[in-house]
Amino acid sequence: MVVSELTSEYVSFLEQFNPNIQENIVSAFNNEMARNHRRKNFIKTVHNLDTILLSLDNTKIELSKLTLEWLPDFKVINLGVNLCKLCLDIDFKLDDLPVSGNYEVNNVALQNVLPVSSNGAITVVYTDVTVKGRVGLLIQGDSFVPENYDVDYTWNSEVSVSYFINRDTKVEAKVTRPTDDQIIAKTIWTQLKEVLTTILKDQLKGVVVEYSVQESLADEDEKLRQLAQSQLTKANGLFDTLLCAAKDYLVAKDLRTIETPPFEVLYRGKLSSTETGLFESGNGYIKDLSTLSRLSDLSLFEDERQLLVYGTLGMREFKHGYDSFKTKFEDNDLTGSLKAQVRGTEIFVKLSFEKSEESPQKTKVEKIETRLLRDTAIDTSGLGSLSWLIPTTQSWVLGHLRSTSMDILLKQIEAAFSYAIEAEMKKTTTTGSDGDNSRLFWKNIFSK
């Protein structure tokens, strides 16, 4: 069932409830933001970000102990309720978001000639932050549940650093550049966006689920429940069909395990140490891509021109590591391996299908991005007398995974889904039972 299958009377009935539900949700959400703001004076909340490794030619940059303090305030510019489409249209603005931590900069080529490095404090302030998009509404029991977030952020930033050139002289410097040129700010933003989206989901869900579906619609909710179930069945069925074909592609192409780039770090035992160590990993890996699976029910948005399906998937077995590394520090020359298991992964996927009279056209993966990495266990072997380096190497692994290796994983998943879409579309042009079943499947998906 799609919106056009609802009677015009019931569509009008739903539309008359939109403003009242919207007003209640906005009021409750603003009250929650106000409570958070008042708590700021009594409770300190700190969000820790993972270490970041950047390489600019021979220059190595390490950002560590990065933190965002407190809960951001989401100010409502617009929060629209669309019961006919079972979604929320959101437009929020946030206050400035300062992320602070430490930096260390080393030049690999220079170390053999002049072993110097630069270190100090760094702050990146994100300004003019907005988040806009669509949030799918599921019906679970007697509650509306905002579950799938198809949202985009915009922001500007200012990067500032401070360091001492002697005991009493502190130098501060700032740089403000266009967003596309802000390499450090863009890299930190990848993690910050995870934090913001997680907070937004928790706060919006806490407000929306309090409203009874039955009471909100004056006991006339059965047709809306049928619509929700129909959309859920279509979205899950379409996504599962493509996911199955995508995993077949990954297995056939021997891509259950993919290779990831190595990383290289210069380090010191202490900032005041005269000795510099070099840590070099071999090529890494991520596996097992054949365990990709849908994490929850997906959302569907359909109009006369297109159909969008969006939601999250994860890997039941996500293993990442480096079979070999080597490091030199003082009289130590060691080798070993690094193995990590990520127990919690959320990858957002949005598929779009333009419609024609006969079949979907210009089908594509419109968006794919990491939404969450958590519960990571990392095992380090081979450091021996440098065991004090173990926590640091683990932060390097996780930082490199976020900043570099996840992009490679996302590209492989996107390629697999693109293949799956093309393969399923080709089936509609074949003869025999496979072609008949495929045409019937797509007809049911896009039926009006």
Side-chain angles (χ1 to χ4, degrees):
M1 179 185 293
V2 293
V3 172
S4 60
E5 292 178 328
L6 296 176
T7 64
S8 58
E9 291 82 2
Y10 193 69
V11 170
S12 298
F13 172 80
L14 291 178
E15 289 176 345
Q16 72 176 332
F17 284 94
N18 284 341
N20 184 52
I21 297 174
Q22 175 177 319
E23 181 180 354
N24 290 337
I25 291 176
V26 170
S27 177
F29 188 81
N30 285 336
N31 289 338
E32 184 65 23
M33 292 300 99
R35 278 194 294 270
N36 285 340
H37 192 74
R38 289 193 297 269
R39 289 169 56 207
K40 188 174 184 178
N41 297 323
F42 306 100
I43 302 175
K44 186 175 182 179
T45 301
V46 177
H47 301 280
N48 297 308
L49 307 185
D50 293 322
T51 294
I52 290 174
L53 302 178
L54 292 173
S55 294
L56 303 177
D57 297 325
N58 282 323
T59 301
K60 307 297 180 182
I61 303 172
E62 180 179 351
L63 308 178
S64 60
K65 298 182 179 179
L66 297 168
T67 60
L68 169 70
E69 294 192 2
W70 191 239
L71 297 175
D73 292 330
F74 292 89
K75 295 179 172 61
V76 177
I77 305 301
N78 178 59
L79 202 168
V81 176
N82 190 333
L83 293 178
C84 292
K85 298 290 187 181
L86 282 170
C87 67
L88 303 175
D89 296 309
I90 66 170
D91 183 356
F92 295 152
K93 182 179 180 180
L94 291 90
D95 291 332
D96 292 352
L97 302 172
V99 176
S100 301
N102 299 328
Y103 75 88
E104 183 169 359
V105 180
N106 291 284
N107 185 282
V108 177
L110 185 61
Q111 285 296 314
N112 295 325
V113 180
L114 192 63
V116 296
S117 66
S118 174
N119 56 73
I122 183 170
T123 298
V124 180
V125 180
Y126 294 88
T127 61
D128 304 320
V129 181
T130 65
V131 53
K132 299 180 181 180
R134 180 182 296 119
V135 180
L137 283 178
L138 305 180
I139 295 179
Q140 296 178 358
D142 193 35
S143 296
F144 294 107
V145 180
E147 184 64 34
N148 300 305
Y149 286 67
D150 178 19
V151 296
D152 294 298
Y153 292 83
T154 61
W155 49 272
N156 294 312
S157 67
E158 179 183 82
V159 178
S160 62
V161 297
S162 62
Y163 54 92
F164 286 89
I165 58 176
N166 57 49
R167 181 176 297 179
D168 301 317
T169 306
K170 183 179 181 180
V171 176
E172 296 184 356
K174 294 182 180 180
V175 58
T176 302
R177 298 175 62 85
T179 300
D180 289 341
D181 297 335
Q182 281 281 20
I183 297 174
I184 288 178
K186 287 171 66 176
T187 305
I188 295 175
W189 176 257
T190 301
Q191 289 190 59
L192 183 57
K193 183 169 65 174
E194 285 186 33
V195 173
L196 296 178
T197 304
T198 299
I199 294 172
L200 175 60
K201 290 170 65 175
D202 290 343
Q203 295 182 342
L204 190 57
K205 183 176 182 179
V207 169
V208 175
V209 296
E210 293 298 319
Y211 292 92
S212 164
V213 176
Q214 188 174 8
E215 291 180 5
S216 297
L217 298 180
D219 296 331
E220 295 290 337
D221 55 302
E222 185 58 33
K223 292 180 181 179
L224 186 63
R225 291 180 183 275
Q226 292 174 1
L227 171 63
Q229 184 59 46
S230 175
Q231 288 194 353
L232 183 150
T233 300
K234 284 186 177 184
N236 290 349
L238 175 56
F239 191 85
D240 290 346
T241 297
L242 296 177
L243 178 58
C244 183
K247 292 199 290 186
D248 288 344
Y249 165 85
L250 292 169
V251 172
K253 294 293 184 179
D254 197 23
L255 292 172
R256 293 178 60 179
T257 300
I258 59 174
E259 187 175 271
T260 60
F263 66 90
E264 182 180 66
V265 186
L266 289 165
Y267 64 92
R268 299 176 186 274
K270 297 180 180 179
L271 288 178
S272 59
S273 174
T274 59
E275 292 289 338
T276 301
L278 176 62
F279 187 99
E280 298 175 282
S281 78
N283 288 327
Y285 61 84
I286 292 178
K287 61 180 182 183
D288 180 348
L289 274 68
S290 68
T291 66
L292 285 167
S293 59
R294 174 167 54 85
L295 293 180
S296 61
D297 292 326
L298 274 74
S299 293
L300 179 147
F301 180 89
E302 184 176 8
D303 58 23
E304 297 298 329
R305 299 182 301 103
Q306 64 178 349
L307 181 145
L308 304 174
V309 173
Y310 54 98
T312 55
L313 57 79
M315 288 168 58
R316 293 190 305 275
E317 295 184 20
F318 188 138
K319 296 181 180 180
H320 173 54
Y322 301 84
D323 289 329
S324 65
F325 70 78
K326 59 182 179 180
T327 184
K328 294 181 180 181
F329 183 78
E330 295 180 341
D331 296 329
N332 299 282
D333 192 347
L334 305 173
T335 61
S337 63
L338 297 160
K339 297 180 180 179
Q341 184 167 355
V342 183
R343 300 187 182 93
T345 313
E346 291 184 14
I347 297 172
F348 178 82
V349 178
K350 177 182 177 182
L351 308 175
S352 67
F353 305 82
E354 291 190 12
K355 298 190 293 188
S356 70
E357 291 295 328
E358 298 180 356
S359 63
Q361 303 293 325
K362 297 181 180 179
T363 57
K364 63 180 180 179
V365 180
E366 188 164 310
K367 184 190 297 185
I368 181 168
E369 62 185 30
T370 304
R371 284 288 170 86
L372 190 65
L373 288 176
R374 64 184 177 191
D375 298 336
T376 303
I378 303 176
D379 178 59
T380 305
S381 64
L383 282 178
S385 58
L386 299 183
S387 59
W388 52 267
L389 193 59
I390 290 177
T392 305
T393 60
Q394 293 176 346
S395 69
W396 292 338
V397 170
L398 193 52
H400 192 59
L401 172 63
R402 286 186 180 278
S403 62
T404 303
S405 301
M406 282 302 297
D407 287 341
I408 295 171
L409 173 62
L410 296 182
K411 288 178 181 178
Q412 290 291 356
I413 296 174
E414 181 177 1
F417 268 97
S418 297
Y419 167 84
I421 291 171
E422 183 179 355
E424 291 300 318
M425 293 299 101
K426 284 183 178 179
K427 287 182 181 179
T428 63
T429 64
T430 61
T431 58
S433 59
D434 286 346
D436 292 339
N437 291 336
S438 180
R439 285 186 288 273
L440 179 61
F441 172 78
W442 289 105
K443 181 179 179 180
N444 290 335
I445 291 292
F446 291 98
S447 62
K448 283 288 188 181

